[in-house]
Amino acid sequence: QMKKVLLILGILAFQAFGGMDYDEKEVKDMIGQRFVTFGSTIRLKHIASRYKMHSHDLKWGSGSHQQSVTAVGFSNDPNSLWLIKEAHGDKPSPTGTKVLCGSTIRLEHMATKRNLHTEGHQYKGPISGNQELSCFGENGNGNEKDDWILECEGQPTPFFKGSTMFALKNKVSGVFAVTNQGHTFNQANCRGCPIQGQRESSCQVQRNRNSLWEVEGGIFFPTIEEAEDIEDDSTSTTTEETKDEWDFDFDFDDQSQNSSVY
């Protein structure tokens, strides 16, 4: 068990940052087997378009003037990583707590520390005319409009897994996070702007194929149960032979080092 965890970390840390070739199906299968836990960081892929939810420190030029949210076709970009947190006002769960389908979560944009958010129906997306989707807050602190209900699609287990198809429904306004290939920024609708080629992400009332997402990759903390197994293994594999074989320090008390990177 310990060697398996170390091997996954060693290979996939390189893959996540473009350091080596990898078998896409094999990595997808690995992700699909993982439980998604609070404290994990994920990339969200739009199923219909295969674009990834994305943000950056760039404000919408209209509407709320909050931080913009788009979708991009490329992967392995730190601006497409989102931290899974508990609902606004809830106490933090222990690292490794599995996320339940149907629970209320927040998604914090890792690069800017602002939460996925929709201010209200009075603000429209610049291309779609749908309700605007944005990022809001400072240092991970926002308000109740950052809360999203995780609606899983055809899920055989009650827990959120790497293979789960899901929709994100805003708890306050009841709209779904979406993107659409028809809402692409280009020279005609966004002359000279820095997000040409990206797609607008927005919110709509209907739940349909444009509201379905999946996990493409990220950094997955082990579940509480897996962490306990790793801890048990670490106490039974302390021979000099094991240390020489791996030839690096691995502190099992540091949960960040136990995470799997995809």
Side-chain angles (χ1 to χ4, degrees), residues 5-23:
V5 171
L6 293 175
L7 186 60
I8 289 173
L9 281 168
I11 294 174
L12 296 177
F14 281 106
Q15 177 269 313
F17 298 100
M20 64 187 300
D21 293 331
Y22 63 97
D23 185 302

PDB file of all heavy atoms in Angstrom, residues 5-23:
ATOM      1  N   VAL A   5       1.256   4.106  -3.107  1.00  0.00           N
ATOM      2  CA  VAL A   5       1.035   5.539  -2.952  1.00  0.00           C
ATOM      3  C   VAL A   5       2.237   6.335  -3.428  1.00  0.00           C
ATOM      4  O   VAL A   5       2.119   7.326  -4.152  1.00  0.00           O
ATOM      5  CB  VAL A   5       0.713   5.877  -1.481  1.00  0.00           C
ATOM      6  CG1 VAL A   5       0.706   7.397  -1.263  1.00  0.00           C
ATOM      7  CG2 VAL A   5      -0.634   5.297  -1.087  1.00  0.00           C
ATOM      8  N   LEU A   6       3.439   5.891  -3.047  1.00  0.00           N
ATOM      9  CA  LEU A   6       4.650   6.590  -3.446  1.00  0.00           C
ATOM     10  C   LEU A   6       4.839   6.563  -4.956  1.00  0.00           C
ATOM     11  O   LEU A   6       5.249   7.550  -5.556  1.00  0.00           O
ATOM     12  CB  LEU A   6       5.855   5.961  -2.759  1.00  0.00           C
ATOM     13  CG  LEU A   6       5.925   6.117  -1.238  1.00  0.00           C
ATOM     14  CD1 LEU A   6       7.112   5.342  -0.689  1.00  0.00           C
ATOM     15  CD2 LEU A   6       6.010   7.569  -0.844  1.00  0.00           C
ATOM     16  N   LEU A   7       4.542   5.429  -5.577  1.00  0.00           N
ATOM     17  CA  LEU A   7       4.710   5.310  -7.015  1.00  0.00           C
ATOM     18  C   LEU A   7       3.752   6.230  -7.755  1.00  0.00           C
ATOM     19  O   LEU A   7       4.123   6.901  -8.723  1.00  0.00           O
ATOM     20  CB  LEU A   7       4.484   3.859  -7.439  1.00  0.00           C
ATOM     21  CG  LEU A   7       4.769   3.524  -8.907  1.00  0.00           C
ATOM     22  CD1 LEU A   7       6.235   3.819  -9.225  1.00  0.00           C
ATOM     23  CD2 LEU A   7       4.430   2.071  -9.202  1.00  0.00           C
ATOM     24  N   ILE A   8       2.508   6.280  -7.313  1.00  0.00           N
ATOM     25  CA  ILE A   8       1.532   7.189  -7.923  1.00  0.00           C
ATOM     26  C   ILE A   8       2.001   8.626  -7.800  1.00  0.00           C
ATOM     27  O   ILE A   8       1.962   9.404  -8.757  1.00  0.00           O
ATOM     28  CB  ILE A   8       0.145   7.008  -7.268  1.00  0.00           C
ATOM     29  CG1 ILE A   8      -0.461   5.670  -7.695  1.00  0.00           C
ATOM     30  CG2 ILE A   8      -0.795   8.143  -7.661  1.00  0.00           C
ATOM     31  CD1 ILE A   8      -1.745   5.329  -6.985  1.00  0.00           C
ATOM     32  N   LEU A   9       2.473   8.999  -6.605  1.00  0.00           N
ATOM     33  CA  LEU A   9       2.969  10.367  -6.414  1.00  0.00           C
ATOM     34  C   LEU A   9       4.132  10.674  -7.335  1.00  0.00           C
ATOM     35  O   LEU A   9       4.182  11.717  -7.975  1.00  0.00           O
ATOM     36  CB  LEU A   9       3.398  10.560  -4.956  1.00  0.00           C
ATOM     37  CG  LEU A   9       2.287  10.798  -3.951  1.00  0.00           C
ATOM     38  CD1 LEU A   9       2.844  10.677  -2.538  1.00  0.00           C
ATOM     39  CD2 LEU A   9       1.649  12.152  -4.150  1.00  0.00           C
ATOM     40  N   GLY A  10       5.085   9.740  -7.424  1.00  0.00           N
ATOM     41  CA  GLY A  10       6.280   9.991  -8.220  1.00  0.00           C
ATOM     42  C   GLY A  10       5.980  10.154  -9.694  1.00  0.00           C
ATOM     43  O   GLY A  10       6.504  11.045 -10.348  1.00  0.00           O
ATOM     44  N   ILE A  11       5.100   9.296 -10.245  1.00  0.00           N
ATOM     45  CA  ILE A  11       4.779   9.368 -11.672  1.00  0.00           C
ATOM     46  C   ILE A  11       3.854  10.533 -11.976  1.00  0.00           C
ATOM     47  O   ILE A  11       4.103  11.334 -12.876  1.00  0.00           O
ATOM     48  CB  ILE A  11       4.128   8.049 -12.138  1.00  0.00           C
ATOM     49  CG1 ILE A  11       5.138   6.906 -12.039  1.00  0.00           C
ATOM     50  CG2 ILE A  11       3.595   8.176 -13.560  1.00  0.00           C
ATOM     51  CD1 ILE A  11       4.537   5.547 -12.340  1.00  0.00           C
ATOM     52  N   LEU A  12       2.785  10.655 -11.217  1.00  0.00           N
ATOM     53  CA  LEU A  12       1.743  11.603 -11.598  1.00  0.00           C
ATOM     54  C   LEU A  12       2.080  13.041 -11.257  1.00  0.00           C
ATOM     55  O   LEU A  12       1.543  13.959 -11.857  1.00  0.00           O
ATOM     56  CB  LEU A  12       0.415  11.195 -10.953  1.00  0.00           C
ATOM     57  CG  LEU A  12      -0.086   9.838 -11.476  1.00  0.00           C
ATOM     58  CD1 LEU A  12      -1.360   9.433 -10.760  1.00  0.00           C
ATOM     59  CD2 LEU A  12      -0.324   9.894 -12.965  1.00  0.00           C
ATOM     60  N   ALA A  13       2.983  13.276 -10.334  1.00  0.00           N
ATOM     61  CA  ALA A  13       3.426  14.646 -10.093  1.00  0.00           C
ATOM     62  C   ALA A  13       4.111  15.203 -11.338  1.00  0.00           C
ATOM     63  O   ALA A  13       3.910  16.354 -11.719  1.00  0.00           O
ATOM     64  CB  ALA A  13       4.381  14.701  -8.912  1.00  0.00           C
ATOM     65  N   PHE A  14       4.900  14.359 -12.028  1.00  0.00           N
ATOM     66  CA  PHE A  14       5.513  14.788 -13.283  1.00  0.00           C
ATOM     67  C   PHE A  14       4.446  15.024 -14.344  1.00  0.00           C
ATOM     68  O   PHE A  14       4.472  15.997 -15.078  1.00  0.00           O
ATOM     69  CB  PHE A  14       6.509  13.741 -13.777  1.00  0.00           C
ATOM     70  CG  PHE A  14       7.824  13.786 -13.066  1.00  0.00           C
ATOM     71  CD1 PHE A  14       8.154  12.823 -12.135  1.00  0.00           C
ATOM     72  CD2 PHE A  14       8.728  14.807 -13.315  1.00  0.00           C
ATOM     73  CE1 PHE A  14       9.367  12.851 -11.472  1.00  0.00           C
ATOM     74  CE2 PHE A  14       9.952  14.846 -12.653  1.00  0.00           C
ATOM     75  CZ  PHE A  14      10.264  13.871 -11.721  1.00  0.00           C
ATOM     76  N   GLN A  15       3.480  14.101 -14.438  1.00  0.00           N
ATOM     77  CA  GLN A  15       2.444  14.207 -15.462  1.00  0.00           C
ATOM     78  C   GLN A  15       1.614  15.459 -15.303  1.00  0.00           C
ATOM     79  O   GLN A  15       1.275  16.130 -16.271  1.00  0.00           O
ATOM     80  CB  GLN A  15       1.535  12.967 -15.394  1.00  0.00           C
ATOM     81  CG  GLN A  15       0.368  12.998 -16.372  1.00  0.00           C
ATOM     82  CD  GLN A  15      -0.859  13.624 -15.759  1.00  0.00           C
ATOM     83  OE1 GLN A  15      -1.235  13.302 -14.635  1.00  0.00           O
ATOM     84  NE2 GLN A  15      -1.491  14.515 -16.471  1.00  0.00           N
ATOM     85  N   ALA A  16       1.284  15.811 -14.061  1.00  0.00           N
ATOM     86  CA  ALA A  16       0.401  16.952 -13.823  1.00  0.00           C
ATOM     87  C   ALA A  16       1.001  18.249 -14.335  1.00  0.00           C
ATOM     88  O   ALA A  16       0.277  19.166 -14.725  1.00  0.00           O
ATOM     89  CB  ALA A  16       0.099  17.075 -12.325  1.00  0.00           C
ATOM     90  N   PHE A  17       2.299  18.335 -14.359  1.00  0.00           N
ATOM     91  CA  PHE A  17       2.954  19.567 -14.785  1.00  0.00           C
ATOM     92  C   PHE A  17       3.663  19.406 -16.126  1.00  0.00           C
ATOM     93  O   PHE A  17       4.565  20.147 -16.470  1.00  0.00           O
ATOM     94  CB  PHE A  17       3.933  20.035 -13.715  1.00  0.00           C
ATOM     95  CG  PHE A  17       3.235  20.338 -12.429  1.00  0.00           C
ATOM     96  CD1 PHE A  17       3.242  19.422 -11.391  1.00  0.00           C
ATOM     97  CD2 PHE A  17       2.529  21.511 -12.275  1.00  0.00           C
ATOM     98  CE1 PHE A  17       2.574  19.691 -10.208  1.00  0.00           C
ATOM     99  CE2 PHE A  17       1.859  21.785 -11.093  1.00  0.00           C
ATOM    100  CZ  PHE A  17       1.884  20.868 -10.059  1.00  0.00           C
ATOM    101  N   GLY A  18       3.213  18.413 -16.908  1.00  0.00           N
ATOM    102  CA  GLY A  18       3.710  18.260 -18.260  1.00  0.00           C
ATOM    103  C   GLY A  18       5.113  17.694 -18.352  1.00  0.00           C
ATOM    104  O   GLY A  18       5.788  17.879 -19.359  1.00  0.00           O
ATOM    105  N   GLY A  19       5.587  16.988 -17.332  1.00  0.00           N
ATOM    106  CA  GLY A  19       6.960  16.535 -17.300  1.00  0.00           C
ATOM    107  C   GLY A  19       7.209  15.213 -18.004  1.00  0.00           C
ATOM    108  O   GLY A  19       8.344  14.825 -18.205  1.00  0.00           O
ATOM    109  N   MET A  20       6.130  14.470 -18.365  1.00  0.00           N
ATOM    110  CA  MET A  20       6.356  13.198 -19.030  1.00  0.00           C
ATOM    111  C   MET A  20       5.090  12.794 -19.759  1.00  0.00           C
ATOM    112  O   MET A  20       4.001  13.290 -19.494  1.00  0.00           O
ATOM    113  CB  MET A  20       6.753  12.121 -18.008  1.00  0.00           C
ATOM    114  CG  MET A  20       5.679  11.800 -16.980  1.00  0.00           C
ATOM    115  SD  MET A  20       6.221  10.679 -15.670  1.00  0.00           S
ATOM    116  CE  MET A  20       6.679   9.234 -16.605  1.00  0.00           C
ATOM    117  N   ASP A  21       5.230  11.884 -20.727  1.00  0.00           N
ATOM    118  CA  ASP A  21       4.077  11.357 -21.430  1.00  0.00           C
ATOM    119  C   ASP A  21       3.330  10.404 -20.501  1.00  0.00           C
ATOM    120  O   ASP A  21       3.901   9.812 -19.598  1.00  0.00           O
ATOM    121  CB  ASP A  21       4.517  10.606 -22.686  1.00  0.00           C
ATOM    122  CG  ASP A  21       5.127  11.542 -23.711  1.00  0.00           C
ATOM    123  OD1 ASP A  21       4.732  12.719 -23.733  1.00  0.00           O
ATOM    124  OD2 ASP A  21       6.005  11.084 -24.468  1.00  0.00           O
ATOM    125  N   TYR A  22       2.036  10.222 -20.772  1.00  0.00           N
ATOM    126  CA  TYR A  22       1.253   9.326 -19.937  1.00  0.00           C
ATOM    127  C   TYR A  22       0.100   8.772 -20.752  1.00  0.00           C
ATOM    128  O   TYR A  22      -0.283   9.310 -21.787  1.00  0.00           O
ATOM    129  CB  TYR A  22       0.713  10.059 -18.703  1.00  0.00           C
ATOM    130  CG  TYR A  22      -0.243  11.191 -19.031  1.00  0.00           C
ATOM    131  CD1 TYR A  22      -1.622  10.994 -18.997  1.00  0.00           C
ATOM    132  CD2 TYR A  22       0.229  12.449 -19.379  1.00  0.00           C
ATOM    133  CE1 TYR A  22      -2.501  12.019 -19.304  1.00  0.00           C
ATOM    134  CE2 TYR A  22      -0.645  13.480 -19.687  1.00  0.00           C
ATOM    135  CZ  TYR A  22      -2.005  13.261 -19.645  1.00  0.00           C
ATOM    136  OH  TYR A  22      -2.873  14.277 -19.958  1.00  0.00           O
ATOM    137  N   ASP A  23      -0.428   7.666 -20.305  1.00  0.00           N
ATOM    138  CA  ASP A  23      -1.564   7.029 -20.946  1.00  0.00           C
ATOM    139  C   ASP A  23      -2.835   7.693 -20.404  1.00  0.00           C
ATOM    140  O   ASP A  23      -3.166   7.556 -19.225  1.00  0.00           O
ATOM    141  CB  ASP A  23      -1.551   5.529 -20.634  1.00  0.00           C
ATOM    142  CG  ASP A  23      -2.643   4.787 -21.378  1.00  0.00           C
ATOM    143  OD1 ASP A  23      -3.821   5.137 -21.196  1.00  0.00           O
ATOM    144  OD2 ASP A  23      -2.309   3.864 -22.142  1.00  0.00           O
TER     145      ASP A  23
END
